[in-house]
Amino acid sequence: MPRLMLSDEFWSKLEKILLQEAIYNKRNLRMTVEGMLYRMRVGCPWRDLPEAFGSWNSIYKRFNAWSLSSKWLRIFKALSIDPDC
């Protein structure tokens, strides 16, 4: 699974954007985001997320909350400003 995870360099960029979006920096924020991205890459049901990411239900609820408040849209727009070619 490590090769599918975000590099430390990319995570530091993403973390700054998340904090600008008023996303609270909890101690498990990185694993929560990794779980969301893993689920999007693999296409598995939320319940099938590996336990290494944490509680699937917590990740699902946070993903839905960020989606409903358009935080994901603003995050992706911010990432597209400085693409990593």
Side-chain angles (χ1 to χ4, degrees), residues 11-26:
W11 171 249
S12 65
K13 292 178 186 178
L14 182 57
E15 186 178 29
K16 289 176 190 173
I17 295 169
L18 293 173
L19 296 177
Q20 289 172 355
E21 288 299 324
I23 293 175
Y24 180 64
N25 190 12
K26 293 184 177 180

Side-chain angles (χ1 to χ4, degrees), residues 65-78:
W66 293 359
S67 295
L68 290 173
S69 63
S70 299
K71 286 183 180 180
W72 271 121
L73 181 63
R74 292 191 303 269
I75 290 167
F76 289 131
K77 283 183 179 180

Side-chain angles (χ1 to χ4, degrees), residues 2-73:
R3 77 178 179 87
L4 297 176
M5 298 181 81
L6 299 173
S7 68
D8 290 336
E9 178 186 352
F10 189 76
W11 171 249
S12 65
K13 292 178 186 178
L14 182 57
E15 186 178 29
K16 289 176 190 173
I17 295 169
L18 293 173
L19 296 177
Q20 289 172 355
E21 288 299 324
I23 293 175
Y24 180 64
N25 190 12
K26 293 184 177 180
R27 63 180 168 80
N28 62 348
L29 178 61
R30 184 171 183 170
M31 289 309 290
T32 299
V33 173
E34 293 277 8
M36 292 174 188
L37 296 175
Y38 177 84
R39 195 261 177 190
M40 296 301 113
R41 270 192 307 268
V42 175
C44 66
W46 287 104
R47 290 177 185 255
D48 291 344
L49 274 177
E51 289 184 20
F53 296 117
S55 167
W56 71 268
N57 196 26
S58 297
I59 297 170
Y60 166 76
K61 286 179 181 179
R62 190 170 295 173
F63 179 83
N64 276 345
W66 293 359
S67 295
L68 290 173
S69 63
S70 299
K71 286 183 180 180
W72 271 121
L73 181 63

